[in-house]
Amino acid sequence: MATPLSDHDKRKQISIRGIVGVENVAELKKGFNRHLHFTLVKDRNIATPRDYYFALAHTVRDHLVGRWIRTQQFYYEADPKRVYYLSLEFYMGRTLQNTMINLGLQNASCFLDSMATLGLAAYGYGIRYEYGIFNQKIKDGWQVEEADDWLRHGNPWEKARPEYMLPVHFYGRVEDTKDGSKWVDTQVVLAMPYDTPIPGYMNNTVNTMRLWSARAPNDFNLRDFNVGDYIQAVLDRNLAENISRVLYPNDNFFEGKELRLKQEYFVVAATLQDIIRRFKTTKKGCPGRTSFESFPDKVAIQLNDTHPAMAIPELMRIFVDIEKLDWDTAWDLTRRTFAYTNHTVLPEALERWPVELMETLLPRHLQIIYQINQVHLDRIASLFPKDMDKLRKMSLIEEDGIKRVNMAHLCIVGSHAVNGVAEIHSNIVKTQVKFCFCLPMLFCILTWGKYLLQVIGEDYVKDLSLLQKLNDFVDDAAFIRDVSKVKQDNKVKFAQYLETEYKVQINPSSMFDVHVKRIHEYKRQLLNCLHIIAMYNRIRMNPSAPFVPRTVIIGGKAAPGYHMAKMIIKLITSVAEVVNNDPVVGNKLKVIFLENYRVSLAEKVIPATDLSEQISTAGTEASGTGNMKFMLNGALTIGTMDGANVEMAEEAGEENLFIFGMRVEDVEELDKKGYDAMSYYKKIPELKHVMDQITSGFFSPKNPELFKDLTEMLFKYDRFKVFADFEDYMKCQEKVSKLYQNPKEWTKMVIKNIAATGKFSSDRTITEYATEVWGVEPTDLKIPPPSEPREAIEETARALKKM
Ligand SMILES: *Cc1c(COP(=O)(O)O)cnc(C)c1O
C-alpha cells in the first residue's frame, strides 16, 4: 500500500477545510435543478444564494432518505439493543457538508458521526428549540445578544412527524387508590417530534435524531377555567408552547427556573414513551413484548449531564404506576438501563431543584424520588451505622437552606455506570462524590472526543491511531515544509476572511495565539488578557528590542446574566482598542475579539491557529474539547495540567506541550494555606504595573472606574487564582515565542502533536462506551443500500443476530 503520507494532497487534508472534488456531479445537478424548480419554485434568474443552498440540501437529503428508511427497517428486523442519548443540547455544526462527506458525495473527510459510523442502533433525543444559542454582537466593546431565529427560512434536514405526537403531563395531584398511585388533574402539553437523519461514514447507516417541539392541545384552556373566552384561550396556547421556545444560554451555571424544569421533564417524558412504544412494537413473531424483564437488554439510556435526570423517576413511574411492576423489580430494571456522564465539578453548575417547585410541577415524581432516597439511605445506614454525616452528604435531598433535590446524586444511584469526561476529571468526580466505595457502580474513565476529528487519508478515517505513523516523518524536511505550508495557507485564508467579514487586518506571518471558548472566570481569559497587557508594556518600554510578532485572538459568548464574563469581554475589547492603535506597537502585537464564536467559526479559526490557549485553573475544566480539536489541527498548546490537557501531555510527551502553572495538588495546597492575591501583586513588578493600569483607567479613560468590579474580584475573591499562575505563564509564553522563531523546530513539534492525537477520536470513545457501558458491539456490517432488494435487509439482519 502506498503510504498516504507521501501524497501531498492527503496531507493537505489535515485542515478541516480541505474539501476536494465532488463525485456524482451529473446526478447532483439533475436533483438540484428539480428542487430549485419544484421545491423552491424559483428559476436561475431570481434564485438567491439561500435558494441554491436549499436546493442542494434537498438534493443531498434525497440521497439519504432510502438509506434512512432501510436502516430503520433493518433495526426492526434485527431487533438489536438500542442506545438512546438524552441531552438538552446538541451542538450541531453545518449539516450539509457533513452529510455530503459521509455519503461519499465529497471525498474529503471531516466530522464522523461516530455512533452511526460504528453501526450502532442509536438515537439522539432532545428539544427542538425555536431559538438556539443567541447570536453575539459586539457594540462599543460590549456583548449584545440577538435571538437566533434559525428556523425562519425552514430547515431542509428535519421531518415533522405529527402522527407520533405524544402527551406530556404537568402539575396536578396524586391520588392513592387501592390500585396504586394515580397522577390526576394534570395539564397536558403535546410533544411533536421532528426527525433529522444522522448518517454514518460510508456504511449506509442513517440513524435518527428526534427533537420534540411543544404544542398546545386543541382544547387547551377551553375545558375548565377559561370556558367561554375562546379568544383568550387561543392566545394562551403560547404559554404551553413556550416550553420549546428557547435554549437556556448558561454555561456551567444552574438557574433554577420553572420553565427550565419543564423543558427537562418535557424531553424525558416524551422520549420515554417513545422508547417504550418501540420496545413493545417488536418484530413479528413476538408481538407486543409483554414482559419488561428484557428491557435493559434491549434499551440503554445515556444521560448527558443531569439535565435529563428526571428520566429516572419517570421510568420508575411508568413501571410502577402504569405497568404495575413491583418497586424492587422496577428499580433493578431502571438502574440497569441508565448510565450517567458528569460534565463539571463547579458547584454553581450542579442542578439542585427546590422540592417545593418539584412538588407543584411533578408531584408524583417527587414522591418517587423520596422513596428512592429512603431505600438508598437505609442501605447506607446499614453499611455505616450511626454515621449521620454520611447520610446527610449522600442523601438525594439537601436539607440545609431550602430543601432541594440533588440531581447528580439521583443520577448516581439510578445508574449502573457513571463517568467523567477525562481521566483527571473522573478521579475528581470519584473523590468529590465519595460514593464509589459504598455503592456497586462502575466509575469508568472515558475521554470525550466529542467533536469528531480531522483525518488524513483513507485508512485514518476509521482509525485515528494510525496517525502515529506521522512520527516517522518528524525529520523529513519535505514533510516539514508541507505541513508548515498548509498551516500558512490556512492562516492567510483566515486573515482574508477577517478582512472581508469584519474589515480588520492581521498579519499572517505573526503567531496566531488563539483563545476561543465560552467566556468564564474558570477558563481564565483574564490571565491571557494580563499577558497581552504585559507584552504591550514590554514593547513600549523598549520599542527597539526584538519581539516575536503575535496576533492574539480571543472569542466566546458570555452567558447573558453573567456580569463578570461580560466585563471580561469589555476589558479585552478595551485593551485591543489601545494596543491596536498605538503607533509604537505597529505590527508586533494585534488583539482581536472574534465576534459570535460558533461551530462554523471554529472550523475556520482552529486550522489557522499556531498557539492554542488552554489555561483553566487546574481542577476546574472537566475535559474540554477545544484543546483536542486544536492539537489535531496542528496547533501547539500552552496549557495547565487540567482536563484532557493532562492526557494530551501524556500522549505527546510533556516536552511537546507548553505546560505551566499549578497542578491540582498545588491548587488544593494553596486553598488550605489561603490564596492571597495581594502577595503576588506586591512581589511581581510586571503584574503590579498591569493591574495599576487597569485600576487607574488606562484602558477606559472615559470611565476610569469601569473595571472596578473586575479588579476587586481579582484582588479579593478570585476563586480561580489568576495571579498565582501569572509569573509561570509569562515565562512559558517566552518559551513559546523563542520556539516560534525557529519554524522548523516548531513544525516538528506540531507533527509530534498531530501524531499523538489518535486517542482523541470520538470513534474510540464511543467504542468504549458501547462495550463498557451500553453492552453493545460496534459492527462494520454494511446495511444493504437502496439499490439492493428488500430481502437483503432480512439476510443482513439474520447475519447480525448470529454475531
Ligand atoms: C469546541 C467548541 C467549544 C468547546 O471549547 P472548550 O475549549 O472545550 O471550552 C465551544 N464552542 C464551540 C463553537 C466549539 O467548537
Side-chain angles (χ1 to χ4, degrees):
M1 186 193 70
T3 165
L5 300 179
S6 62
D7 184 319
H8 180 80
D9 279 338
K10 281 187 177 151
R11 288 199 293 269
K12 270 194 99 150
Q13 292 172 21
I14 292 171
S15 157
I16 273 184
R17 313 191 58 208
I19 304 303
V20 283
V22 175
E23 287 171 32
N24 300 330
V25 178
E27 211 183 315
L28 279 181
K29 231 173 167 171
K30 227 169 89 188
F32 179 87
N33 287 327
R34 193 168 46 80
H35 277 296
L36 191 64
H37 188 83
F38 289 103
T39 309
L40 296 153
V41 197
K42 285 276 179 92
D43 66 24
R44 297 232 176 210
N45 297 323
I46 55 166
T48 64
R50 182 176 282 107
D51 292 325
Y52 290 128
Y53 161 75
F54 270 75
L56 181 57
H58 276 108
T59 310
V60 170
R61 204 187 81 151
D62 290 349
H63 284 257
L64 276 184
V65 167
R67 289 174 175 86
W68 198 5
I69 291 172
R70 288 201 148 219
T71 300
Q72 306 312 312
Q73 285 173 346
F74 174 71
Y75 292 158
Y76 179 77
E77 292 295 336
D79 195 25
K81 183 169 184 179
R82 264 73 160 194
V83 177
Y84 296 99
Y85 190 85
L86 260 71
S87 181
L88 270 278
E89 253 172 86
F90 286 93
Y91 223 152
M92 301 298 290
R94 293 269 157 99
T95 311
L96 176 60
Q97 190 171 303
N98 194 23
T99 302
M100 291 179 77
I101 289 162
N102 283 351
L103 280 173
L105 296 172
Q106 256 184 8
N107 58 15
S109 45
C110 188
F111 272 26
L112 313 174
D113 215 336
S114 294
M115 295 209 254
T117 294
L118 294 168
L120 303 182
Y123 302 77
Y125 273 96
I127 295 180
R128 179 180 178 271
Y129 297 107
E130 202 173 315
Y131 296 89
I133 186 70
F134 63 89
N135 281 312
Q136 178 192 57
K137 287 272 154 66
I138 300 295
K139 290 191 176 148
D140 194 26
W142 296 96
Q143 167 174 298
V144 177
E145 298 87 23
E146 277 183 6
D148 166 39
D149 192 4
W150 72 299
L151 294 168
R152 179 179 286 164
H153 302 279
N155 173 1
W157 302 106
E158 68 180 13
K159 176 73 190 83
R161 301 269 187 213
E163 68 276 25
Y164 298 135
M165 202 143 66
L166 293 166
V168 175
H169 299 257
F170 292 101
Y171 304 106
R173 59 192 172 80
V174 181
E175 228 173 56
D176 289 314
T177 72
K178 50 182 186 309
D179 214 21
S181 295
K182 281 209 170 83
W183 186 18
V184 297
D185 294 344
T186 56
Q187 293 179 29
V188 174
V189 177
L190 299 175
M192 162 111 102
Y194 285 79
D195 291 351
T196 300
I198 307 289
Y201 177 71
M202 303 279 276
N203 65 350
N204 299 322
T205 294
V206 181
N207 286 339
T208 301
M209 177 174 71
R210 177 162 281 184
L211 303 181
W212 302 101
S213 178
R215 291 295 140 96
N218 290 336
D219 60 356
F220 186 76
N221 269 3
L222 280 168
R223 272 177 308 180
D224 328 309
F225 38 92
N226 260 350
V227 178
D229 196 349
Y230 164 73
I231 297 294
Q232 194 56 47
V234 174
L235 296 180
D236 283 351
R237 294 170 66 83
N238 271 323
L239 300 176
E241 295 175 354
N242 274 342
I243 290 175
S244 56
R245 197 77 68 204
V246 57
L247 166 72
Y248 276 86
N250 294 329
D251 174 61
N252 276 288
F253 186 77
F254 172 62
E255 190 187 347
K257 287 280 195 292
E258 177 174 276
L259 182 61
R260 170 70 180 196
L261 183 57
K262 278 186 179 167
Q263 290 183 335
E264 295 185 354
Y265 180 66
F266 176 73
V267 60
V268 154
T271 302
L272 281 180
Q273 288 179 74
D274 218 30
I275 291 173
I276 285 170
R277 174 193 55 75
R278 192 171 291 118
F279 173 76
K280 286 182 174 176
T281 328
T282 186
K283 235 190 95 54
K284 41 191 184 296
C286 51
R289 242 187 279 249
T290 48
S291 162
F292 283 92
E293 213 173 295
S294 65
F295 194 79
D297 306 321
K298 287 292 170 189
V299 175
I301 304 177
Q302 189 67 35
L303 302 173
N304 181 32
D305 215 323
T306 60
H307 311 146
M310 289 307 289
I312 292 167
E314 173 68 359
L315 187 58
M316 284 300 287
R317 187 184 71 83
I318 294 169
F319 281 159
V320 173
D321 293 358
I322 299 172
E323 304 291 348
K324 306 294 177 197
L325 303 185
D326 68 82
W327 181 274
D328 292 345
T329 305
W331 184 238
D332 176 62
L333 296 176
T334 296
R335 286 199 66 237
R336 286 161 57 206
T337 300
F338 287 108
Y340 156 63
T341 307
N342 172 282
H343 285 267
T344 180
V345 293
L346 294 188
E348 65 268 36
L350 300 179
E351 289 194 298
R352 297 151 63 243
W353 287 105
V355 162
E356 201 183 281
L357 174 59
M358 204 176 276
E359 192 162 26
T360 310
L361 194 65
L362 302 164
R364 178 59 184 141
H365 297 80
L366 184 65
Q367 287 183 345
I368 290 169
I369 289 169
Y370 271 120
Q371 198 168 338
I372 293 170
N373 198 35
Q374 191 60 55
V375 178
H376 165 61
L377 292 181
D378 286 349
R379 203 186 126 93
I380 293 167
S382 71
L383 283 164
F384 304 93
K386 299 201 183 102
D387 192 341
M388 290 308 288
D389 195 50
K390 190 162 252 106
L391 284 180
R392 192 179 50 75
K393 274 193 193 142
M394 292 172 53
S395 174
L396 306 191
I397 309 294
E398 297 179 1
E399 312 240 356
D400 46 336
I402 65 163
K403 274 205 204 178
R404 292 167 178 273
V405 182
N406 184 314
M407 304 304 273
H409 290 187
L410 174 62
C411 287
I412 291 165
V413 301
S415 301
H416 67 278
V418 176
N419 68 278
V421 281
E423 205 164 309
I424 185 175
H425 171 60
S426 282
N427 294 331
I428 291 170
V429 170
K430 273 191 230 176
T431 52
Q432 283 200 353
V433 173
K434 298 181 179 70
F435 264 39
C436 51
F437 50 86
C438 62
L439 287 172
M441 72 183 50
L442 170 70
F443 270 92
C444 39
I445 294 162
L446 300 172
T447 319
W448 190 241
K450 172 171 172 162
Y451 287 88
L452 310 174
L453 303 173
Q454 190 52 41
V455 190
I456 40 173
E458 293 285 307
D459 296 341
Y460 299 89
V461 173
K462 285 209 166 196
D463 185 1
L464 209 59
S465 67
L466 293 172
L467 281 170
Q468 59 189 289
K469 286 189 182 171
L470 282 174
N471 278 322
D472 301 345
F473 296 81
V474 166
D475 294 312
D476 180 325
F479 184 60
I480 293 170
R481 257 198 324 274
D482 285 348
V483 169
S484 90
K485 169 85 167 46
V486 170
K487 180 58 73 179
Q488 197 53 37
D489 290 350
N490 291 338
K491 290 172 69 177
V492 169
K493 253 187 218 162
F494 184 66
Q496 283 164 350
Y497 170 81
L498 282 188
E499 173 131 31
T500 42
E501 294 293 313
Y502 300 97
K503 313 288 171 243
V504 291
Q505 287 191 359
I506 59 174
N507 172 13
S509 62
S510 63
M511 181 202 306
F512 285 9
D513 170 349
V514 178
H515 198 177
V516 286
K517 49 184 75 239
R518 291 296 293 259
I519 308 291
H520 202 295
E521 286 164 85
Y522 87 83
K523 290 176 182 284
R524 294 203 296 191
Q525 283 90 359
L526 276 175
L527 180 57
N528 189 341
C529 198
L530 300 188
H531 172 244
I532 294 170
I533 301 170
M535 282 192 294
Y536 171 65
N537 290 337
R538 283 186 187 183
I539 294 170
R540 291 210 316 159
M541 308 279 238
N542 198 349
S544 59
F547 187 88
V548 181
R550 283 201 195 214
T551 302
V552 184
I553 298 170
I554 304 179
K557 293 172 183 173
Y562 187 176
H563 170 68
M564 198 56 74
K566 289 185 148 177
M567 290 311 300
I568 291 170
I569 291 176
K570 180 61 177 170
L571 178 64
I572 294 163
T573 54
S574 304
V575 170
E577 184 76 18
V578 170
V579 171
N580 297 346
N581 293 301
D582 190 331
V584 175
V585 173
N587 246 341
K588 288 177 180 157
L589 184 59
K590 274 269 175 297
V591 182
I592 308 290
F593 189 89
L594 196 59
E595 185 179 82
N596 204 24
Y597 180 58
R598 61 198 185 283
V599 176
S600 57
L601 202 47
E603 288 172 3
K604 294 182 172 68
V605 69
I606 293 173
T609 298
D610 294 307
L611 183 67
S612 156
E613 299 269 354
Q614 307 298 338
I615 60 176
S616 52
T617 314
T620 63
E621 185 77 270
S623 163
T625 53
N627 44 10
M628 297 178 262
K629 289 184 263 183
F630 280 103
M631 185 183 186
L632 189 58
N633 281 280
L636 296 185
T637 302
I638 183 163
T640 48
M641 276 299 202
D642 199 20
N645 299 355
V646 176
E647 285 150 272
M648 285 159 50
E650 219 168 80
E651 294 294 305
E654 205 172 315
E655 70 282 6
N656 292 310
L657 278 78
F658 296 98
I659 296 292
F660 73 95
M662 295 178 288
R663 311 301 202 247
V664 172
E665 307 79 61
D666 303 323
V667 175
E668 282 167 1
E669 202 169 308
L670 186 52
D671 267 326
K672 265 186 223 144
K673 193 173 88 178
Y675 168 63
D676 174 18
M678 193 54 81
S679 68
Y680 300 93
Y681 169 85
K682 287 180 184 154
K683 200 168 58 193
I684 309 164
E686 259 187 314
L687 176 61
K688 179 171 187 306
H689 186 188
V690 168
M691 288 310 298
D692 289 348
Q693 285 171 307
I694 301 173
T695 311
S696 67
F698 185 90
F699 300 104
S700 54
K702 284 188 206 147
N703 182 1
E705 302 269 275
L706 186 61
F707 299 113
K708 194 159 178 268
D709 293 353
L710 200 150
T711 52
E712 205 169 277
M713 180 274 290
L714 285 172
F715 279 116
K716 293 186 188 156
Y717 55 96
D718 176 11
R719 296 165 57 207
F720 303 106
K721 307 179 178 64
V722 170
F723 291 0
D725 275 339
F726 176 83
E727 201 168 20
D728 204 23
Y729 182 56
M730 290 291 298
K731 283 201 190 113
C732 197
Q733 287 283 20
E734 281 170 36
K735 280 193 227 157
V736 171
S737 287
K738 185 146 181 260
L739 187 69
Y740 197 74
Q741 285 177 287
N742 186 341
K744 196 170 156 196
E745 288 306 312
W746 179 279
T747 305
K748 277 189 184 188
M749 202 185 270
V750 166
I751 295 168
K752 287 182 203 165
N753 269 263
I754 298 173
T757 54
K759 185 183 172 188
F760 306 114
S761 138
S762 66
D763 285 359
R764 184 199 61 85
T765 305
I766 294 294
T767 301
E768 276 180 34
Y769 271 92
T771 55
E772 291 172 31
V773 180
W774 303 328
V776 294
E777 283 297 327
T779 75
D780 42 23
L781 207 80
K782 266 207 173 92
I783 296 172
S787 54
E788 286 181 40
R790 164 83 208 221
E791 292 75 55
I793 293 182
E794 283 147 38
E795 203 173 300
T796 316
R798 279 193 293 277
L800 182 74
K801 280 181 158 173
K802 280 198 202 110
M803 283 166 82

